[in-house]
Amino acid sequence: MRLLHTSDWHLGRAFHRVNMLDAQAEFIGHIVTTVREHDVDAVVVSGDVYDRAVPPLAAVELFDDALHRLADLGVPTVMISGNHDSARRLGVGAGLIDRAGIHLRTEPSACGVPVVLSDAHGDVAFYGLPYLEPALVKDEFAVERAGHEAVLAAAMDRVRADLATRARGTRSVVLAHAFVTGGEASDSERDITVGGVAAVPAGVFEGVDYAALGHLHGSQTITERVRYSGSPLPYSFSESDHRKSMWLVDLDAEGAVTAERVDCPVPRSLARVRGTLEDLLADPGLARHEEAWVEATLTDPVRPADPMARLTTRFPHTLSLVFDPERAPDEAVSYARRLAGRSDQQIAEDFVAHVRGAGPDVREQVVLRDAFDTVRADATVREVAR
C-alpha cells in the first residue's frame, strides 16, 4: 500500500504579514497531482490543518475545496487534529464526511478505533491519535499525572490492544501529533511543553509498522518507521534551510517500509543575511538572495538611518529586520537575546533567583510547572469556546 504522508498545513497562516493562501491552495493542487501521478492508495494528514482554533473564512473555504478534491480522487484520506486546531470544530460533520472517504479523527476516546483499508495483501489499520493535551485527556486515559508521554503511551496501549484482535498479518499505521525525542524544532511551532517536558520517546510507537507524525515543521526521519513530513510551506526564517516535502511511503506485504520525499512547491526561497548595512548592500556574494524573502540582521554599532528603505532597494522582499550590534564581550546583552531559546519555566525560575537571590527549590519548581500547565489548558479551553 502506498501512502502520502503530509501534515501541518496551517491554513490561514501568514508569513511575516505575507498572505500565504494562494501558496496553500497551490499545495492542495500539488497533493492531488501527486496522488494521481504516483498511484497513491491513501493520504494521511497528521494534524494542524488550520493555524488556529477559529480560522478565517478564506481558510475554511480552502479546506472545503481540499475535501472535495480529495474525495473526487476516490483515494481514502485519514486526518487528525493538531494542537493549533479546534478538535471539536474540525470534527463537525465527520460522520457524514466519512462516507466520502475522508476520515477525520479528532476524538481522543476513539484512538483505538481504526480506519481499515485493504490492498492485495490484506488489511491496513489506520489509527488516528489527535493532539492529546495532557491536562484535558488525563482522565480519559486514567493516568495519574498529566504528561505527554503518559497520555500518548496510554493511547498507544489502546492501539496495540485493538491490533491484537485483528487477523494475523494486519499492517498498521498511526497518525500522531507530538514532539518526539530526536526531532529538531523550529521557531514556528507552538510550545507544547507540559510539566517541563515536551518530548516523548520514539519507542512509544513500538508495535506498529509506520508512525506518520505531525507538529515539527522540518521533514525528519526519527527511525525508519517513525517520520515527520514537516510543513509544506515555511512559516519562520528558522526554516530557511528546510527542504519542504511530503513522504511517499510504501508498506509491503510484511509491513516493511520504504520511503521517498516528494518536494512541495514553495513560492519564494528564504534567506538570512548578516552584516553591516553597507556590507549587505555591496556584497556581490549576496546577489543570489535578491529575489528571496529576506531576514536581515544588522551588526552596525550604531543603528543606521532608514535601514529598511535602503535594504529593499537591493532586497525588495525583505520581511524581517533585526539589530544585533557588535559590541565588546563585556557589554550588556540585550533582554531579547537573554531570553532567546528559554522556556517560560526557565524564565520564571530566573526571575525568582533575581528577586530573592536564590532560585526556586524542587517544591517551588513543581508549583511553577503546575501553574504554567493550568494556564495552558485553560487557554486551550477558552480558545475553543470562543
Side-chain angles (χ1 to χ4, degrees):
M1 183 169 286
R2 174 165 287 181
L3 320 175
L4 184 64
H5 168 199
T6 178
S7 71
D8 295 273
W9 295 357
H10 289 280
L11 300 183
R13 185 166 185 164
F15 179 73
H16 288 269
R17 302 176 303 282
V18 174
N19 189 316
M20 298 289 276
L21 207 62
D22 287 344
Q24 291 168 340
E26 184 179 359
F27 165 68
I28 298 301
H30 178 62
I31 289 179
V32 172
T33 300
T34 302
V35 169
R36 286 175 175 158
E37 292 183 351
H38 292 273
D39 296 322
V40 170
D41 298 305
V43 177
V44 296
V45 185
S46 300
D48 281 353
V49 174
Y50 291 121
D51 188 56
R52 55 181 185 265
V54 186
L57 178 59
V60 177
E61 290 174 339
L62 179 54
F63 180 58
D64 180 64
D65 178 63
L67 292 181
H68 278 85
R69 296 179 73 178
L70 289 168
D72 287 345
L73 289 170
V75 173
T77 298
V78 184
M79 59 176 64
I80 60 172
S81 50
N83 62 301
H84 280 251
D85 299 309
S86 164
R88 293 183 64 184
R89 282 189 172 88
L90 186 64
V92 169
L96 185 61
I97 295 170
D98 193 81
R99 300 179 190 177
I102 309 292
H103 309 283
L104 289 169
R105 293 295 182 262
T106 63
E107 290 292 335
S109 59
C111 285
V113 182
V115 176
V116 180
L117 306 177
S118 300
D119 64 8
H121 304 293
D123 290 345
V124 180
F126 291 77
Y127 297 90
L129 278 54
Y131 172 67
L132 303 173
E133 175 61 50
L136 300 181
V137 301
K138 63 183 181 69
D139 292 337
E140 166 66 32
F141 293 106
V143 297
E144 292 184 4
R145 181 172 178 80
H148 286 290
E149 183 175 354
V151 297
L152 195 54
M156 282 301 302
D157 284 343
R158 294 188 184 183
V159 168
R160 285 184 284 265
D162 179 84
L163 194 55
T165 69
R166 301 196 172 269
R168 184 176 181 181
T170 298
R171 290 155 292 162
S172 54
V173 175
V174 164
L175 289 71
H177 197 87
F179 189 169
V180 174
T181 304
E184 183 177 345
S186 65
D187 292 342
S188 53
E189 298 106 2
R190 181 181 293 173
D191 180 34
I192 60 169
T193 303
V194 171
V197 178
V200 300
V204 77
F205 299 107
E206 190 70 32
V208 297
D209 293 310
Y210 184 69
L213 301 182
H215 181 57
L216 300 184
H217 288 183
S219 179
Q220 300 169 60
T221 300
I222 306 301
T223 72
E224 286 303 306
R225 296 185 182 275
V226 181
R227 300 171 188 262
Y228 283 99
S229 68
S231 62
L233 294 165
Y235 293 114
S236 73
F237 276 101
S238 65
E239 301 170 53
S240 60
D241 61 347
H242 286 188
R243 173 187 164 195
K244 294 303 182 182
S245 60
M246 303 177 286
W247 284 110
L248 199 61
V249 178
D250 286 321
L251 278 182
D252 73 8
E254 305 301 322
V257 171
T258 57
E260 64 176 292
R261 293 172 71 177
V262 178
D263 290 332
C264 296
V266 177
R268 197 177 294 278
S269 62
L270 307 186
R272 289 176 133 172
V273 298
R274 179 184 179 89
T276 66
L277 179 58
E278 295 303 327
D279 286 345
L280 296 183
L281 294 175
D283 186 353
L286 299 179
R288 66 187 188 279
H289 299 317
E290 289 177 355
E291 294 304 315
W293 280 323
V294 169
E295 179 184 73
T297 299
L298 300 184
T299 60
D300 302 73
V302 177
R303 185 172 301 205
D306 300 320
M308 182 62 89
R310 295 171 65 189
L311 275 170
T312 53
T313 62
R314 185 180 188 189
F315 306 104
H317 305 289
T318 301
L319 299 180
S320 176
L321 187 58
V322 179
F323 294 96
D324 187 19
E326 292 182 349
R327 294 189 173 100
D330 59 345
E331 291 190 51
V333 177
S334 72
Y335 181 69
R337 288 186 63 189
R338 290 202 304 272
L339 297 186
R342 301 183 68 75
S343 68
D344 291 342
Q345 177 87 13
Q346 291 170 321
I347 293 169
E349 291 179 7
D350 288 349
F351 176 76
V352 172
H354 173 75
V355 169
R356 72 179 187 192
D361 58 27
V362 173
R363 182 185 61 81
E364 292 166 333
Q365 289 174 348
V366 171
V367 170
L368 286 170
R369 188 177 303 132
D370 288 345
F372 281 120
D373 291 350
T374 300
V375 169
R376 181 181 292 103
D378 181 63
T380 300
V381 172
R382 285 188 286 107
E383 185 176 32
V384 170
R386 284 195 306 174

